[in-house]
mmCIF file of all heavy atoms in Angstrom:
data_model
loop_
_atom_site.group_PDB
_atom_site.id
_atom_site.type_symbol
_atom_site.label_atom_id
_atom_site.label_comp_id
_atom_site.label_asym_id
_atom_site.label_seq_id
_atom_site.Cartn_x
_atom_site.Cartn_y
_atom_site.Cartn_z
ATOM 1 N N ALA A 288 6.226 27.867 3.479
ATOM 2 C CA ALA A 288 5.195 26.845 3.744
ATOM 3 C C ALA A 288 3.822 27.388 3.397
ATOM 4 O O ALA A 288 3.493 28.496 3.676
ATOM 5 C CB ALA A 288 5.266 26.414 5.238
ATOM 6 N N LEU A 289 3.062 26.498 2.700
ATOM 7 C CA LEU A 289 1.683 26.881 2.307
ATOM 8 C C LEU A 289 0.680 25.922 3.104
ATOM 9 O O LEU A 289 0.921 24.802 3.291
ATOM 10 C CB LEU A 289 1.492 26.617 0.810
ATOM 11 C CG LEU A 289 2.292 27.514 -0.117
ATOM 12 C CD1 LEU A 289 2.152 27.025 -1.589
ATOM 13 C CD2 LEU A 289 1.779 28.972 -0.059
ATOM 14 N N ARG A 290 -0.371 26.584 3.537
ATOM 15 C CA ARG A 290 -1.376 25.868 4.262
ATOM 16 C C ARG A 290 -2.131 24.866 3.223
ATOM 17 O O ARG A 290 -2.585 25.281 2.216
ATOM 18 C CB ARG A 290 -2.413 26.709 4.813
ATOM 19 C CG ARG A 290 -3.583 26.140 5.565
ATOM 20 C CD ARG A 290 -4.556 27.166 6.076
ATOM 21 N NE ARG A 290 -5.694 26.550 6.836
ATOM 22 C CZ ARG A 290 -6.732 25.940 6.295
ATOM 23 N NH1 ARG A 290 -6.893 25.914 4.999
ATOM 24 N NH2 ARG A 290 -7.755 25.509 7.004
ATOM 25 N N ASP A 291 -2.069 23.596 3.494
ATOM 26 C CA ASP A 291 -2.771 22.711 2.676
ATOM 27 C C ASP A 291 -4.191 22.653 2.856
ATOM 28 O O ASP A 291 -4.724 22.632 4.005
ATOM 29 C CB ASP A 291 -2.202 21.213 2.917
ATOM 30 C CG ASP A 291 -2.549 20.236 1.827
ATOM 31 O OD1 ASP A 291 -3.679 19.794 1.762
ATOM 32 O OD2 ASP A 291 -1.719 19.910 0.954
ATOM 33 N N PRO A 292 -5.027 22.795 1.767
ATOM 34 C CA PRO A 292 -6.440 22.936 1.936
ATOM 35 C C PRO A 292 -7.171 21.573 2.223
ATOM 36 O O PRO A 292 -8.379 21.577 2.465
ATOM 37 C CB PRO A 292 -6.917 23.430 0.583
ATOM 38 C CG PRO A 292 -5.881 22.946 -0.411
ATOM 39 C CD PRO A 292 -4.603 22.874 0.436
ATOM 40 N N VAL A 293 -6.414 20.438 2.244
ATOM 41 C CA VAL A 293 -7.055 19.134 2.430
ATOM 42 C C VAL A 293 -6.409 18.397 3.563
ATOM 43 O O VAL A 293 -7.123 17.920 4.475
ATOM 44 C CB VAL A 293 -6.945 18.336 1.135
ATOM 45 C CG1 VAL A 293 -7.526 16.942 1.340
ATOM 46 C CG2 VAL A 293 -7.746 18.981 -0.010
ATOM 47 N N LEU A 294 -5.160 18.209 3.579
ATOM 48 C CA LEU A 294 -4.515 17.330 4.521
ATOM 49 C C LEU A 294 -4.411 17.923 5.911
ATOM 50 O O LEU A 294 -4.319 19.118 6.033
ATOM 51 C CB LEU A 294 -3.129 16.885 4.090
ATOM 52 C CG LEU A 294 -3.117 16.042 2.745
ATOM 53 C CD1 LEU A 294 -1.692 15.774 2.337
ATOM 54 C CD2 LEU A 294 -3.945 14.882 2.811
ATOM 55 N N ALA A 295 -4.585 17.053 6.954
ATOM 56 C CA ALA A 295 -4.584 17.532 8.314
ATOM 57 C C ALA A 295 -3.633 16.631 9.138
ATOM 58 O O ALA A 295 -3.330 15.600 8.805
ATOM 59 C CB ALA A 295 -6.044 17.463 8.927
ATOM 60 N N SER A 296 -3.265 17.148 10.276
ATOM 61 C CA SER A 296 -2.410 16.420 11.203
ATOM 62 C C SER A 296 -3.051 15.231 11.700
ATOM 63 O O SER A 296 -4.179 15.317 12.288
ATOM 64 C CB SER A 296 -1.948 17.348 12.348
ATOM 65 O OG SER A 296 -1.382 16.557 13.507
ATOM 66 N N PRO A 297 -2.447 14.091 11.681
ATOM 67 C CA PRO A 297 -3.082 12.865 12.335
ATOM 68 C C PRO A 297 -3.159 12.963 13.895
ATOM 69 O O PRO A 297 -3.777 12.173 14.466
ATOM 70 C CB PRO A 297 -2.138 11.768 11.932
ATOM 71 C CG PRO A 297 -0.816 12.382 11.620
ATOM 72 C CD PRO A 297 -1.067 13.747 11.165
ATOM 73 N N ARG A 298 -2.369 13.902 14.424
ATOM 74 C CA ARG A 298 -2.408 14.037 15.930
ATOM 75 C C ARG A 298 -3.496 15.022 16.384
ATOM 76 O O ARG A 298 -4.167 14.767 17.269
ATOM 77 C CB ARG A 298 -1.018 14.610 16.391
ATOM 78 C CG ARG A 298 0.138 13.631 16.209
ATOM 79 C CD ARG A 298 1.298 14.055 17.075
ATOM 80 N NE ARG A 298 1.570 15.531 16.866
ATOM 81 C CZ ARG A 298 1.748 16.328 17.801
ATOM 82 N NH1 ARG A 298 1.741 15.911 19.110
ATOM 83 N NH2 ARG A 298 2.003 17.667 17.656
ATOM 84 N N THR A 299 -3.590 16.215 15.619
ATOM 85 C CA THR A 299 -4.413 17.269 16.135
ATOM 86 C C THR A 299 -5.680 17.509 15.230
ATOM 87 O O THR A 299 -6.660 18.155 15.701
ATOM 88 C CB THR A 299 -3.637 18.613 16.179
ATOM 89 O OG1 THR A 299 -3.270 18.988 14.909
ATOM 90 C CG2 THR A 299 -2.387 18.403 17.073
ATOM 91 N N GLY A 300 -5.623 17.010 14.004
ATOM 92 C CA GLY A 300 -6.721 17.277 13.056
ATOM 93 C C GLY A 300 -6.598 18.752 12.445
ATOM 94 O O GLY A 300 -7.411 19.060 11.594
ATOM 95 N N ALA A 301 -5.593 19.485 12.826
ATOM 96 C CA ALA A 301 -5.421 20.825 12.269
ATOM 97 C C ALA A 301 -4.833 20.777 10.831
ATOM 98 O O ALA A 301 -4.093 19.828 10.630
ATOM 99 C CB ALA A 301 -4.629 21.679 13.255
ATOM 100 N N PRO A 302 -5.027 21.782 10.026
ATOM 101 C CA PRO A 302 -4.450 21.746 8.739
ATOM 102 C C PRO A 302 -2.893 21.688 8.736
ATOM 103 O O PRO A 302 -2.283 22.215 9.624
ATOM 104 C CB PRO A 302 -4.816 23.069 8.102
ATOM 105 C CG PRO A 302 -6.164 23.430 8.881
ATOM 106 C CD PRO A 302 -5.920 22.923 10.243
ATOM 107 N N LEU A 303 -2.317 20.945 7.821
ATOM 108 C CA LEU A 303 -0.919 20.889 7.648
ATOM 109 C C LEU A 303 -0.409 21.960 6.715
ATOM 110 O O LEU A 303 -1.180 22.462 5.890
ATOM 111 C CB LEU A 303 -0.527 19.509 7.130
ATOM 112 C CG LEU A 303 -0.708 18.294 8.094
ATOM 113 C CD1 LEU A 303 -0.367 16.995 7.306
ATOM 114 C CD2 LEU A 303 0.262 18.451 9.309
ATOM 115 N N PHE A 304 0.810 22.239 6.779
ATOM 116 C CA PHE A 304 1.485 23.205 5.929
ATOM 117 C C PHE A 304 2.479 22.476 5.097
ATOM 118 O O PHE A 304 3.348 21.742 5.553
ATOM 119 C CB PHE A 304 2.156 24.338 6.811
ATOM 120 C CG PHE A 304 1.161 25.277 7.436
ATOM 121 C CD1 PHE A 304 0.554 24.898 8.591
ATOM 122 C CD2 PHE A 304 0.892 26.538 6.840
ATOM 123 C CE1 PHE A 304 -0.424 25.752 9.123
ATOM 124 C CE2 PHE A 304 -0.087 27.378 7.363
ATOM 125 C CZ PHE A 304 -0.736 26.933 8.580
ATOM 126 N N ARG A 305 2.385 22.715 3.792
ATOM 127 C CA ARG A 305 3.173 22.061 2.766
ATOM 128 C C ARG A 305 4.496 22.739 2.577
ATOM 129 O O ARG A 305 4.474 23.946 2.275
ATOM 130 C CB ARG A 305 2.402 21.988 1.444
ATOM 131 C CG ARG A 305 2.943 21.035 0.326
ATOM 132 C CD ARG A 305 2.033 21.186 -0.841
ATOM 133 N NE ARG A 305 2.391 20.338 -1.902
ATOM 134 C CZ ARG A 305 1.708 19.207 -2.223
ATOM 135 N NH1 ARG A 305 0.682 18.851 -1.605
ATOM 136 N NH2 ARG A 305 2.140 18.460 -3.232
ATOM 137 N N GLU A 306 5.580 22.088 2.634
ATOM 138 C CA GLU A 306 6.933 22.725 2.474
ATOM 139 C C GLU A 306 7.640 21.947 1.326
ATOM 140 O O GLU A 306 7.602 20.709 1.208
ATOM 141 C CB GLU A 306 7.733 22.669 3.710
ATOM 142 C CG GLU A 306 7.120 23.403 4.876
ATOM 143 C CD GLU A 306 8.002 23.342 6.163
ATOM 144 O OE1 GLU A 306 9.066 22.563 6.102
ATOM 145 O OE2 GLU A 306 7.704 24.014 7.122
ATOM 146 N N ARG A 307 8.459 22.768 0.571
ATOM 147 C CA ARG A 307 9.324 22.072 -0.447
ATOM 148 C C ARG A 307 10.754 22.635 -0.130
ATOM 149 O O ARG A 307 10.997 23.815 -0.006
ATOM 150 C CB ARG A 307 8.924 22.513 -1.856
ATOM 151 C CG ARG A 307 7.787 21.598 -2.396
ATOM 152 C CD ARG A 307 7.669 21.884 -3.895
ATOM 153 N NE ARG A 307 6.896 20.823 -4.521
ATOM 154 C CZ ARG A 307 5.549 21.001 -4.629
ATOM 155 N NH1 ARG A 307 4.952 22.030 -4.205
ATOM 156 N NH2 ARG A 307 4.830 20.037 -5.239
ATOM 157 N N THR A 308 11.693 21.715 -0.102
ATOM 158 C CA THR A 308 13.090 22.016 0.116
ATOM 159 C C THR A 308 13.865 21.580 -1.064
ATOM 160 O O THR A 308 13.775 20.430 -1.583
ATOM 161 C CB THR A 308 13.645 21.326 1.350
ATOM 162 O OG1 THR A 308 12.912 21.727 2.459
ATOM 163 C CG2 THR A 308 15.090 21.680 1.572
ATOM 164 N N VAL A 309 14.586 22.481 -1.698
ATOM 165 C CA VAL A 309 15.374 22.193 -2.886
ATOM 166 C C VAL A 309 16.760 22.074 -2.561
ATOM 167 O O VAL A 309 17.399 22.988 -1.989
ATOM 168 C CB VAL A 309 15.190 23.383 -3.971
ATOM 169 C CG1 VAL A 309 15.982 23.051 -5.208
ATOM 170 C CG2 VAL A 309 13.728 23.528 -4.279
ATOM 171 N N LEU A 310 17.324 20.897 -2.820
ATOM 172 C CA LEU A 310 18.774 20.564 -2.578
ATOM 173 C C LEU A 310 19.368 20.150 -3.915
ATOM 174 O O LEU A 310 19.241 19.012 -4.337
ATOM 175 C CB LEU A 310 18.922 19.437 -1.523
ATOM 176 C CG LEU A 310 18.404 19.871 -0.115
ATOM 177 C CD1 LEU A 310 18.418 18.529 0.740
ATOM 178 C CD2 LEU A 310 19.151 20.958 0.489
ATOM 179 N N GLY A 311 20.006 21.118 -4.597
ATOM 180 C CA GLY A 311 20.542 20.827 -5.903
ATOM 181 C C GLY A 311 19.352 20.504 -6.877
ATOM 182 O O GLY A 311 18.486 21.353 -7.102
ATOM 183 N N ARG A 312 19.320 19.320 -7.486
ATOM 184 C CA ARG A 312 18.289 18.943 -8.418
ATOM 185 C C ARG A 312 17.129 18.151 -7.706
ATOM 186 O O ARG A 312 16.204 17.742 -8.332
ATOM 187 C CB ARG A 312 18.832 18.085 -9.432
ATOM 188 C CG ARG A 312 19.802 18.870 -10.354
ATOM 189 C CD ARG A 312 20.241 18.022 -11.530
ATOM 190 N NE ARG A 312 21.104 18.761 -12.475
ATOM 191 C CZ ARG A 312 21.588 18.179 -13.609
ATOM 192 N NH1 ARG A 312 21.318 16.962 -13.919
ATOM 193 N NH2 ARG A 312 22.414 18.912 -14.347
#
Side-chain angles (χ1 to χ4, degrees):
L289 294 171
R290 180 183 182 278
D291 193 283
V293 175
L294 297 179
S296 164
R298 293 192 316 130
T299 68
L303 289 174
F304 287 79
R305 189 182 184 110
E306 297 181 353
R307 277 192 169 87
T308 304
V309 181
L310 299 173
R312 296 184 178 181

